[in-house]
Amino acid sequence: MTKNLHVTIDKDSGFCFGVVYAIDMAEEILEEEGYLYCLGDIVHNDEEVARLKAKGLRIIGHEDFIQLKDEKVLIRAHGEAPETYKTALENNITLIDASCPVVLKLQNRIKTSHDNDEKILIFGKHGHAEVIGLQGQTNNEALVFQDITELDNKELPASFTLYSQTTKSVSKFYEIKEELIRRGYEIKANDTICRQVSNRYEDLGDFARQYDKIVFVSGKKSSNGKVLYDVCKQANPQSYFVSDVAEIDVTQFNTNETVGICGATSTPMWLMKEVKQALEQL
C-alpha cells in the first residue's frame, strides 16, 4: 500500500550564487577541454562531485597542486590563501578563479586589517577551506575559534578585530561579540556573514513549520548544512537529515503526511528532486 505523501521542495533551497558560479565555470571548461583540475571538492556534496568527476573534473589536494605544471586549475567558491597564487605563478598554472565575491571581499578586509597590524580573531570552523584561505591573509597569525569556550583559557590581546566565516550564524556572531565585550575586551567587530545564507535561517524555520515531516538533504561535509539542519530541527522536531535517496528511512513516514524537502547552499536541486520522487513512490 502506498503512503500517498504530499511532498514539496523549498524553492529557496539549493546552491547559493557562489557555488552556481563555480560549477558553471567548471562545466564550460569541461565541455571544451574534456578535463579540468579542481583544488579541493568543488562543493561539499559527494553526489554533485561525482556527477562532475564523470564529466572529467579531477579533484586534487594541495600536495598534488605543488607538483602540477602548465595546467589549468579551478579555485572553488571557498577561496584560497596567497600561497596558492604564488605556487601557480612558479609552476605556470592558469588559475580559473571561482572564489565567491563575498569571500574575496572578506579576504581583502582581513588582509587590510593584518597590514594595519591589528590582532585578528576569526569565528569559523577549524580546517574549513574558506577559513584556511582567510587565515592565509594573515600569514596564519589570526586566531580561529569555532566556539567561545575555546577562548576561555586563551590569553587574548586587550583589543582586536573580530571577523566571521561567511556561512556562520548571525545571531551566534553577535552573541560572541557581546560576550567578549562583557569580558572587557575592546573589539572592532565586522559582520561578514553572507546574507544569502543567513536569510535562509529565518525563511527555513517558516518553511519547516508548515509540514508534518522535513527531509533535509545535504552532504555530511557541509558546515552550512549542519547549521541549516539545526534550524529545521528546532522549528520542526520531525526533521530528518539525508545525504542521498538511499538514506531515506521508510518507517519515519505515515500515510497522507505532508513532507517538506530543503537543503544546504551546497545541495543540488537535482538531488532534492530525486529525494522528492523517492518519497512519492513510497
Side-chain angles (χ1 to χ4, degrees), residues 6-19:
H6 307 282
V7 189
T8 308
I9 297 176
D10 172 26
K11 61 174 175 43
D12 296 320
S13 279
F15 292 152
C16 61
F17 72 87
V19 173

Side-chain angles (χ1 to χ4, degrees), residues 117-134:
D117 291 328
E118 294 171 18
K119 301 292 179 203
I120 297 166
L121 264 70
I122 300 170
F123 169 44
K125 184 182 177 185
H126 294 293
H128 189 282
E130 182 192 319
V131 174
I132 291 167
L134 298 177

Side-chain angles (χ1 to χ4, degrees), residues 22-32 51-52 55:
I23 288 172
D24 283 353
M25 253 186 185
E27 291 197 300
E28 215 170 283
I29 293 166
L30 289 170
E31 219 157 277
E32 285 168 19
R51 184 185 75 83
L52 290 164
K55 290 187 169 203

Side-chain angles (χ1 to χ4, degrees), residues 6-15 204 207-208 210-211 213-217 258-264 267-280:
H6 307 282
V7 189
T8 308
I9 297 176
D10 172 26
K11 61 174 175 43
D12 296 320
S13 279
F15 292 152
L204 201 55
F207 176 81
Q210 293 173 39
Y211 301 90
K213 302 279 167 70
I214 289 292
V215 176
F216 188 87
V217 188
T258 58
V259 182
I261 294 176
C262 43
T267 304
M269 187 53 78
W270 63 262
L271 186 56
M272 286 187 280
K273 284 179 177 168
E274 275 190 8
V275 170
K276 178 180 192 280
Q277 204 177 354
L279 287 167
E280 286 172 339

